Amino acid sequence: MNDMFRKRIEKGILLCLILLGCIAGVWMTMRQGLPDFLRDWLRLANQRQLFQLFLLEVTGLLLCSGFAGFFAMGQPIPCMALLLHGMLFGLTVLLHLTPALHSLRLLVWLLPYGIGTSLLLLLAARETIWLSSLFFCYAFRRQWEENMSHCRRLYLVRYVVILGLFVLLSLFCGGLQVLQSLFV
């Protein structure tokens, strides 16, 4: 199998996990599968509360996914992180589509932030699965390769870049939120 084709399939599978999570979040909302307090809180939350929730959620998922890369059996963790993020994003967007003007103002920063963080989580998941797979392969060979320290450094550099992009995206969307509240 061609290496380029394999990478495209991997990215497509990870993207499908996010989309599956969004569909599950929408389905849970429409079928009343959420606890009432959570559904009411998400529906009545203002922009600042939602932004803080998403900031906390994505930070936690990025850090859990990052630490999972150092374990041989860490591949399922970034996949679950993608599903959970998709569920919360789909649930929040569906709950805020009903009140027309409020939802339009909310979606101005929510959609770019949700899509941007989804892409960053996708990149983080790909890197985590890569390093975790290397640890898994080395666990069965019973020998430590010399290039493993290089792979760990490369992983850490890539993860720092992903975290930096996350901070920039959060600052941009937080600024959008502040500007929007000034003009309304």
Side-chain angles (χ1 to χ4, degrees):
M1 184 183 299
N2 189 358
D3 190 45
M4 181 82 152
F5 183 68
R6 185 181 55 82
K7 286 182 181 182
R8 284 185 180 171
I9 287 177
E10 288 172 358
K11 289 178 188 175
I13 290 171
L14 294 175
L15 185 61
C16 286
L17 284 173
I18 293 175
L19 293 175
L20 183 65
C22 285
I23 291 169
V26 167
W27 182 78
M28 285 174 55
T29 305
M30 294 183 77
R31 300 281 289 168
Q32 307 297 328
L34 291 174
D36 291 334
F37 72 92
L38 179 63
R39 186 178 59 243
D40 292 338
W41 186 84
L42 283 173
R43 185 177 292 140
L44 298 175
N46 61 15
Q47 289 182 356
R48 176 173 284 161
Q49 291 170 336
L50 279 176
F51 185 71
Q52 290 170 354
L53 173 72
F54 274 116
L55 191 65
L56 183 65
E57 177 246 347
V58 174
T59 302
L61 291 178
L62 275 174
L63 291 177
C64 286
S65 182
F67 289 130
F70 293 105
F71 297 101
M73 300 297 277
Q75 294 95 346
I77 292 173
C79 297
M80 290 303 296
L82 290 173
L83 274 171
L84 288 174
H85 176 70
M87 285 176 68
L88 184 64
F89 183 60
L91 173 103
T92 307
V93 168
L94 184 69
L95 285 176
H96 285 277
L97 282 178
T98 50
L101 185 60
H102 176 68
S103 67
L104 183 62
R105 287 186 298 200
L106 181 70
L107 292 178
V108 164
W109 70 267
L110 182 63
L111 284 179
Y113 190 69
I115 292 170
T117 54
S118 296
L119 291 176
L120 289 175
L121 279 169
L122 185 81
L123 289 173
R126 187 186 70 179
E127 297 303 322
T128 299
I129 291 171
W130 170 73
L131 188 66
S132 181
S133 297
L134 285 178
F135 277 116
F136 187 77
C137 289
Y138 289 138
F140 287 108
R141 259 193 224 165
R142 305 256 189 248
Q143 65 184 12
W144 195 256
E145 296 286 330
E146 293 176 10
N147 67 347
M148 195 61 187
S149 62
H150 171 72
C151 291
R152 283 183 296 178
R153 276 188 299 229
L154 183 62
Y155 176 74
L156 289 173
V157 167
R158 288 176 179 174
Y159 229 82
V160 166
V161 169
I162 289 170
L163 288 174
L165 289 173
F166 171 64
V167 168
L168 288 175
L169 179 67
S170 298
L171 288 174
F172 173 73
C173 289
L176 266 176
Q177 181 184 7
V178 169
L179 282 175
Q180 185 180 9
S181 66
L182 289 175
F183 290 114
V184 174

